[in-house]
């Protein structure tokens, strides 16, 4: 028993922000950002929330799958930027789309979050507990960014991507691996609420994303080719069998480096980071939805998904479309 994707959907905020606009805020340039990252623009929320973007993406995925919200049994939201601590984003999305029969909860594995949620859904469905799941990666990272820090504010964007998955007996997910390395957690952080209670009075203010860009870069370029190889081994496939590598859209140079290490032509690594930036857990399903709607994925093709980010965490999934 496995799972296959039967519908995809995505949503972006209305407001697009170009590199030139960012260069008005910090000492940078369109040329520098494009050369070092491949990013040309991103979307920034003015009114959209994690829950509203997620709900829009879910509705589109359901429509494409030809399913009603009431049919959804498991609803997972992958996010590291929830607006509220309670209730979880998944329950808010459940309410917005009317998925009244679903069990709903959030998964946070930062930029690997969508993959970890997909694997969670696979485990529930393969063990027979549920028959379908709606999985959405949704982020409003713009509220966690220090817009004075040119090392990070150039990278991230807001958005959501969703997939509807159902149990299947042929094809679908063929192999999966996940890794977490908490020892390297300090490389990419964003502090949250301070301890402030009867006994402790916190004096610290809000905190924003902090990153050692070079460490993250080298982790991704070294670890992701190995992780993809491990997932392919589980699927009894080789790199040459893969039609498309749909990777987390962090940085074009990272993707170029991974392609080189795997010995695969870059044309098999579709990208949309030039238009949307790094949208963390939304990146993989957002790109998948674009490819699917443009008819760039054909039935029977072998697709590798791979995500990586804060934790440090990473994963890869091999599937037959
Ligand atoms: N514009 C112009 N100059 C910038 C800049 C910007 N936006 N950001 C940094 N610089 C400067 C630095 O201050 C430094 O100047 P110095 O040499 O005078 O000290 C110089 O550019 C080189 O900085 P460095 O940090 O070494 O650049 P880099 O080549 O490593 O590129 C990143 C920086 C962030 C683009 C790169 O490290 C990266 O993409 N890392 C991965 C980040 C990522 O994807 N994170 C999310 C993973 S989920």
């Amino acid at each position: 028993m496995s799972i296959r994707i039967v519908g995809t959907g995505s949503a972006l905020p209305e407001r697009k922000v170009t590199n030139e606009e960012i260069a008005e805020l910090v000492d940078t340039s369109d040329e520098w950002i494009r050369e070092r990252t491949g990013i040309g623009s991103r979307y920034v929320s003015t009114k959209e929330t994690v829950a509203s973007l997620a709900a829009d993406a879910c509705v589109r995925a359901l429509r494409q799958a030809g399913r009603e919200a009431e049919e959804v049994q498991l609803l997972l939201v992958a996010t590291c930027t929830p607006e509220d601590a309670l209730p979880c984003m998944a329950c808010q999305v459940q309410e917005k789309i009317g998925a009244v029969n679903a069990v709903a909860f959030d998964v946070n594995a930062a930029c690997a979050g969508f993959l970890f949620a997909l694997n969670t859904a696979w485990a529930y469905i393969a063990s027979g507990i549920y028959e379908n799941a709606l999985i959405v990666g949704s982020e409003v990272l713009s509220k966690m960014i220090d817009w004075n820090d040119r090392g990070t504010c150039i990278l991230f964007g807001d958005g959501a991507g969703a997939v509807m998955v159902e149990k299947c007996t042929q094809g679908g997910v063929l192999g999966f691996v996940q890794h977490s390395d908490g020892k390297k957690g300090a490389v990419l952080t964003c502090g949250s609420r301070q301890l402030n209670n009867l006994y402790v009075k916190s004096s610290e203010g809000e905190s924003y994303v902090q990153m050692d860009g070079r460490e993250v870069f080298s982790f991704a370029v070294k670890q992701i080719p190995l992780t993809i190889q491990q997932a392919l081994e589980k699927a009894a496939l080789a790199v040459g069998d893969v039609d498309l590598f749909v990777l987390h859209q962090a940085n074009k140079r990272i993707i170029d480096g991974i392609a080189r290490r795997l010995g695969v032509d870059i044309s098999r690594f579709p990208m949309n980071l030039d238009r949307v930036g790094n949208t963390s857990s939304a990146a993989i399903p957002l790109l998948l939805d674009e490819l699917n709607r443009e008819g760039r994925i054909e039935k029977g093709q072998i697709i590798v998904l791979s995500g990586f980010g804060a934790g440090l965490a990473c994963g890869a999934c091999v599937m037959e479309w």
Side-chain angles (χ1 to χ4, degrees):
M1 181 86 73
S2 189
I3 59 171
R4 67 188 185 96
I5 293 175
V6 294
T8 61
S10 60
L12 289 166
E14 270 174 34
R15 180 71 164 87
K16 180 178 170 177
V17 177
T18 62
N19 289 345
E20 285 84 359
E21 288 175 276
I22 295 209
E24 288 169 16
L25 302 174
V26 291
D27 183 13
T28 190
S29 65
D30 177 50
E31 191 189 4
W32 195 96
I33 302 171
R34 281 183 194 275
E35 196 186 297
R36 301 290 176 114
T37 71
I39 296 167
S41 59
R42 73 289 292 143
Y43 290 82
V44 170
S45 169
T46 50
K47 56 181 185 301
E48 300 86 355
T49 63
V50 168
S52 76
L53 289 166
D56 288 349
C58 283
V59 165
R60 288 170 191 150
L62 281 171
R63 198 178 300 145
Q64 197 187 69
R67 295 279 177 235
E68 300 298 330
E70 294 83 356
E71 295 177 72
V72 177
Q73 296 179 0
L74 177 65
L75 171 54
L76 299 178
V77 176
T79 188
C80 58
T81 57
E83 274 85 33
D84 309 307
L86 302 169
C88 68
M89 294 293 106
C91 283
Q92 295 189 29
V93 175
Q94 175 189 34
E95 195 271 330
K96 280 182 190 298
I97 67 172
V100 289
N101 296 309
V103 166
F105 61 93
D106 293 355
V107 174
N108 177 358
C111 302
F114 173 76
L115 271 186
F116 282 31
L118 186 68
N119 201 14
T120 304
W122 175 83
Y124 270 107
I125 294 171
S127 60
I129 296 173
Y130 301 118
E131 295 191 349
N132 68 41
L134 186 55
I135 306 149
V136 54
S138 183
E139 305 285 6
V140 177
L141 283 148
S142 58
K143 63 177 179 272
M144 303 203 337
I145 301 301
D146 176 356
W147 289 93
N148 296 309
D149 175 11
R150 66 177 182 175
T152 51
C153 76
I154 58 165
L155 299 173
F156 298 101
D158 302 336
V163 299
M164 177 74 186
V165 298
E166 290 181 356
K167 72 171 182 184
C168 68
T169 47
Q170 272 197 322
V173 169
L174 306 173
F176 225 122
V177 286
Q178 311 180 105
H179 298 294
S180 304
D181 183 1
K183 284 203 297 293
K184 300 219 179 87
V187 166
L188 182 46
T189 62
C190 181
S192 184
R193 299 167 74 94
Q194 307 297 328
L195 183 61
N196 200 359
N197 62 20
L198 286 177
Y199 312 106
V200 184
K201 289 282 168 260
S202 169
S203 57
E204 291 184 39
E206 292 199 282
S207 48
Y208 297 95
V209 169
Q210 292 191 328
M211 180 182 71
D212 181 336
R214 289 193 166 195
E215 276 293 323
V216 177
F217 196 101
S218 109
F219 156 73
V221 171
K222 285 186 197 143
Q223 185 60 44
I224 294 306
L226 299 175
T227 304
I228 288 175
Q229 295 279 15
Q230 289 166 353
L232 283 167
E233 266 168 41
K234 288 205 172 185
L237 290 171
V239 163
D241 298 317
V242 180
D243 294 290
L244 285 178
F245 293 83
V246 180
L247 299 198
H248 174 48
Q249 300 288 291
N251 180 316
K252 182 174 183 309
R253 286 194 300 144
I254 290 179
I255 297 176
D256 285 342
I258 293 169
R260 254 195 318 274
R261 282 190 183 225
L262 286 171
V264 176
D265 191 84
I266 193 68
S267 61
R268 282 199 270 154
F269 290 75
M271 291 182 226
N272 65 357
L273 58 85
D274 53 319
R275 283 172 286 116
V276 302
N278 177 347
T279 58
S280 190
S281 67
I284 292 173
L286 232 165
L287 178 55
L288 208 51
D289 183 48
E290 275 188 27
L291 297 168
N292 191 23
R293 281 174 198 271
E294 288 166 9
R296 288 166 68 192
I297 315 182
E298 287 165 27
K299 194 170 162 38
Q301 281 189 327
I302 300 296
I303 315 286
V304 165
L305 311 180
S306 183
F308 50 87
L312 294 174
C314 67
C317 167
V318 182
M319 62 171 68
E320 185 183 322
W321 193 258

